[in-house]
Amino acid sequence: NHSTIGNQQSNPANALVEKLINCGDSALMLECKLKGINPRSDDAPKNVREATKKIFEIEQGRWINATDDRKRQIAETYCNLVCTGEKGTNSNPTYAIYDFAEGQNPEDFRNTFMSISRVNKVEIPFVQGKHGMGSFGAINFCKKEGLQLIISKRHPELDDSNGKWGFTVVRRVYPDEDFGYNTTTFKSSRWMYLVINNEVPSFTSNGLKILPGKYPQPYEKSMAHGTFIKLYNYDIGSNLRSSALLALYNKLNQLLVNPIVPVRIHERRKGFKANSYETTLDGLETRFDRDRSNLLVDGFPAEFIFNSNNQTFKAKIFAYKKYSDEANKTTPDIEKYGNGVIFTLNGQTNGNLHYRFFSTKGLTY
């Protein structure tokens, strides 16, 4: 399976975003079911923005219209990113992603977390992740045997919940490793996950103390249900190893133009000094809306529609001011927002063109 898993993502930040997207999808799926709506029915929301409006009661489905407290509450419930491990430019952080959304019964791991190329959500119009790859692109960047831990318990209010926690460990098996199963030499690595007696291990517990407390405590609060995924020794890249609330926050904002749910980011590596060690990420477009007065030229963003090969595309142009403060000649910090052309689908960035695109004669492609 390495040909499938090993060629999904070439960028570690993009791969990490896939995990966050799964949290948002699971949140909407859960809320639909709790409200008695079949996610595949005509009663379900038709797109991400409609889902945000209908399910979370956010005006126009735009996070700029939600209060900070409301965004934080939704993020803390449905999408959290915790950074642990060693601080330093030569140390890879370890990331935990957790939510209190649907969760999975142990016997369902095979068809959800562990599935590859299984079409689980393609018929659901309001989710972002539709490719059925289990967000396996991220494990390529776990530099010690590709280790990933998954723990999950189905939401207790769902009819099919059996009340058990399931857990497994995913790891990379190199061509010369056989794990005692056979003596065959493989041409490439394989990815395997832990089962015992051919079943995903399970246990019962009212709660697990695996959630972060106050800085710098990484494990203090209890988790009663939901999903917890840990990516060990994650090679996020040297430019993103600083505080998770700085460069990584900016990068994830650019990759999640309109997230299904906001993301609560928790920095728990020892050695940082800051006024806060948590923040809420609400997407690039919300950030533009919030900062527009000191950032964008009057009249922008400009919206337009164009057609290519009989496909209709909606586009926006954001023009930065030369100076955010004319009197002091202060230039805007464009690095926070990105520059160039961003291609998005359902609020997720799927590709981009470098800002040099704008200096090309005639804007050819």
Side-chain angles (χ1 to χ4, degrees):
N1 55 17
H2 184 66
S3 61
T4 302
I5 293 175
N7 293 301
Q8 278 195 55
Q9 287 282 3
S10 60
N11 184 287
N14 292 54
L16 184 61
V17 161
E18 297 292 341
K19 299 290 189 184
L20 305 176
I21 285 172
N22 284 347
C23 291
D25 288 350
S26 184
L28 293 186
M29 296 281 283
L30 171 67
E31 290 294 336
C32 274
K33 293 174 182 178
L34 293 179
K35 294 177 187 298
I37 302 172
N38 184 337
R40 291 176 170 82
S41 71
D42 292 338
D43 295 329
K46 302 300 185 290
N47 52 57
V48 173
R49 183 149 285 179
E50 183 182 330
T52 305
K53 177 182 177 181
K54 186 173 184 178
I55 292 176
F56 294 116
E57 299 179 350
I58 303 300
E59 184 183 348
Q60 299 178 336
R62 302 174 70 241
W63 292 116
I64 190 65
N65 296 323
T67 65
D68 290 344
D69 285 344
R70 178 63 173 150
K71 285 186 285 190
R72 184 177 65 251
Q73 181 263 325
I74 293 174
E76 289 178 344
T77 303
Y78 291 124
C79 193
N80 293 268
L81 175 66
V82 187
C83 185
T84 61
E86 296 294 324
K87 172 180 175 286
T89 56
N90 296 319
S91 299
N92 291 323
T94 288
Y95 295 114
I97 301 96
Y98 70 89
D99 63 63
F100 300 98
E102 281 186 299
Q104 299 296 334
N105 292 318
E107 60 269 24
D108 295 326
F109 275 39
R110 279 187 171 87
N111 296 325
T112 53
F113 300 124
M114 298 298 109
S115 67
I116 300 176
S117 301
R118 181 183 176 89
V119 180
N120 289 330
K121 298 185 287 188
V122 70
E123 296 175 352
I124 303 173
F126 58 81
V127 297
Q128 286 183 324
K130 294 177 180 287
H131 303 298
M133 300 307 294
S135 65
F136 276 116
I139 58 180
N140 289 286
F141 301 99
C142 297
K143 288 306 175 183
K144 292 186 179 179
E145 280 71 51
L147 286 174
Q148 175 184 236
L149 169 69
I150 300 176
I151 306 173
S152 190
K153 179 181 177 181
R154 194 76 166 155
H155 195 287
E157 294 183 33
L158 295 176
D159 294 338
D160 58 351
S161 173
N162 64 13
K164 290 184 177 181
W165 290 94
F167 72 94
T168 191
V169 175
V170 180
R171 67 154 290 171
R172 183 175 184 170
V173 181
Y174 292 90
D176 58 347
E177 294 181 285
D178 59 28
F179 267 39
Y181 292 116
N182 55 58
T183 57
T184 304
T185 300
F186 290 83
K187 294 181 180 179
S188 63
S189 295
R190 294 161 290 152
W191 296 91
M192 303 178 69
Y193 66 95
L194 173 68
V195 294
I196 298 175
N197 296 326
N198 204 33
E199 293 182 353
V200 169
S202 64
F203 60 94
T204 57
S205 175
N206 291 328
L208 308 176
K209 287 193 174 182
I210 55 177
L211 304 185
K214 290 186 177 181
Y215 181 86
Q217 298 299 327
Y219 315 107
E220 188 173 86
K221 296 179 181 179
S222 183
M223 185 173 191
H225 61 83
T227 298
F228 180 95
I229 295 176
K230 195 151 194 175
L231 301 166
Y232 291 89
N233 203 253
Y234 196 84
D235 188 7
I236 192 65
S238 58
N239 59 328
L240 299 179
R241 289 178 187 148
S242 61
S243 170
L245 277 59
L246 298 175
L248 181 63
Y249 170 84
N250 292 333
K251 182 65 175 179
L252 294 180
N253 252 314
Q254 294 168 29
L255 295 174
L256 285 169
V257 176
N258 284 303
I260 288 182
V261 295
V263 182
R264 191 67 175 169
I265 301 176
H266 311 256
E267 177 59 76
R268 288 300 180 271
R269 289 173 293 173
K270 292 181 180 180
F272 287 108
K273 292 184 178 181
N275 293 326
S276 176
Y277 298 95
E278 294 90 25
T279 192
T280 302
L281 180 154
D282 51 15
L284 181 61
E285 193 159 341
T286 304
R287 203 174 193 189
F288 274 131
D289 284 336
R290 187 166 50 240
D291 301 345
R292 79 166 61 228
S293 61
N294 294 321
L295 183 70
L296 299 179
V297 175
D298 290 344
F300 286 88
E303 300 185 27
F304 65 98
I305 296 175
F306 66 95
N307 184 286
S308 177
N309 295 328
N310 295 318
Q311 293 188 74
T312 301
F313 294 84
K314 294 181 180 180
K316 289 185 178 182
I317 298 176
F318 296 82
Y320 296 118
K321 289 182 175 180
K322 184 175 182 179
Y323 298 113
S324 55
D325 184 338
E326 186 72 35
N328 296 312
K329 303 300 180 185
T330 304
T331 57
D333 187 0
I334 294 175
E335 289 297 319
K336 289 183 178 180
Y337 307 91
N339 202 357
V341 181
I342 300 176
F343 300 96
T344 70
L345 179 64
N346 280 343
Q348 178 190 2
T349 297
N350 280 254
N352 69 284
L353 296 176
H354 194 270
Y355 68 84
R356 285 191 295 269
F357 168 83
F358 294 115
S359 62
T360 305
K361 245 182 199 181
L363 295 182
T364 57
Y365 60 90

